[in-house]
């Protein structure tokens, strides 16, 4: 939650009425970001390679979703919804330049990970011509944490939990992350565990 809050509210300076794209919806940070942005009065668009994850995001308040495996997803998104103010991305990788091309001039992309590796070739022309800010983000400060808790309390935000398993099955749960099928947090229940 703190990673999502800092990326959006502190690093991204997300404002009510803006348009946000969350790439790769489904993970714990991305689903928290969706809840935070919707509560903040932001129009949210998501991407995923899973129609099911896109539908779950729509059910949680996203306005639209696009399958990034579709050849013309970026053009269709721009045609239907126009450019976005902010992109929240944890992947990087070969699709990074597509994200740069859907940001309004003067907009930003906040990265909190690089699960798909570095961009193969960064489109510097789009970055400087459109004055796009690229911002890195990680966890957060104590002040960020307090602000997040106040926001969560005010808006009654609940985390999306995909699965809860006992500590004895923790390794299996971690291994299951490789297939990226979860929507929300994966939780290890330590009740009764020594320590």
């Amino acid at each position: 939650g703190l990673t999502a809050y800092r990326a959006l509210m502190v690093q991204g300076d997300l404002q009510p009425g803006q348009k946000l794209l969350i790439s790769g919806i489904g993970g714990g940070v991305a689903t928290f970001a969706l809840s935070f942005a919707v509560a903040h009065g932001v129009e949210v668009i998501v991407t995923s390679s899973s129609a099911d994850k896109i539908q779950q995001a729509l059910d949680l308040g996203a306005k639209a979703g696009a399958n990034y495996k579709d050849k013309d997803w970026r053009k269709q998104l721009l045609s239907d919804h126009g450019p976005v103010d902010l992109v929240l991305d944890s992947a990087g990788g070969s699709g990074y330049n597509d994200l740069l091309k859907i940001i309004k001039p003067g907009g930003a992309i906040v990265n909190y990970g690089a699960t798909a590796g570095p961009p193969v070739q960064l489109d510097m022309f789009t970055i400087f011509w459109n004055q796009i800010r690229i911002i890195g983000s990680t966890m957060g400060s104590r002040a960020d944490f307090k602000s997040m808790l106040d926001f969560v309390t005010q808006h009654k935000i609940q985390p999306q939990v995909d699965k809860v398993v006992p500590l004895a099955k923790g390794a299996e749960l971690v291994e299951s992350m490789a297939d990226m099928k979860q929507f929300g947090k994966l939780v290890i229940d330590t009740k009764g565990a020594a320590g």
Side-chain angles (χ1 to χ4, degrees):
L2 181 57
T3 300
Y5 187 85
R6 179 173 176 79
L8 290 179
M9 306 301 191
V10 179
Q11 299 294 72
D13 191 28
L14 189 65
Q15 299 297 315
Q18 287 186 324
K19 196 180 302 180
L20 167 70
L21 175 78
I22 301 172
S23 70
I25 193 68
V29 175
T31 55
F32 262 118
L34 172 60
S35 296
F36 292 160
V38 169
H40 199 49
V42 171
E43 181 180 317
V44 182
I45 300 166
V46 300
T47 67
S48 177
S49 61
S50 163
D52 183 52
K53 287 182 183 184
I54 291 171
Q55 185 58 55
Q56 289 179 75
L58 294 172
D59 293 345
L60 292 173
K63 180 174 183 179
N67 186 325
Y68 61 77
K69 296 279 187 180
D70 292 346
K71 181 181 174 189
D72 293 324
W73 76 267
R74 179 179 53 86
K75 289 180 184 177
Q76 189 64 52
L77 187 144
L78 283 168
S79 172
D80 292 348
H81 305 285
V84 302
D85 300 284
L86 182 68
V87 172
L88 184 66
D89 179 60
S90 68
S94 62
Y96 197 78
N97 286 328
D98 282 329
L99 300 177
L100 294 173
K101 292 179 179 169
I102 61 172
I103 301 171
K104 291 178 181 176
I109 182 166
V110 176
N111 292 97
Y112 64 94
T115 57
V120 177
Q121 185 176 27
L122 195 56
D123 183 353
M124 295 301 295
F125 182 81
T126 297
I127 293 169
F128 75 74
W129 190 255
N130 290 330
Q131 300 184 53
I132 294 172
R133 292 169 289 125
I134 297 177
I135 305 163
S137 191
T138 57
M139 292 286 288
S141 67
R142 286 179 185 234
D144 296 337
F145 189 67
K146 182 183 181 323
S147 293
M148 181 201 68
L149 291 178
D150 292 344
F151 188 87
V152 165
T153 301
Q154 176 186 356
H155 295 284
K156 298 177 175 52
I157 293 173
Q158 296 290 319
Q160 296 300 308
V161 176
D162 183 84
K163 190 182 300 182
V164 179
V165 301
L167 182 59
K169 295 190 179 237
E172 293 171 32
L173 185 68
V174 171
E175 288 174 12
S176 77
M177 291 171 58
D179 65 20
M180 297 186 285
K181 291 185 178 179
Q182 75 273 7
F183 188 87
K185 299 300 288 181
L186 298 173
V187 179
I188 297 173
D189 184 352
T190 59
K191 290 180 188 166

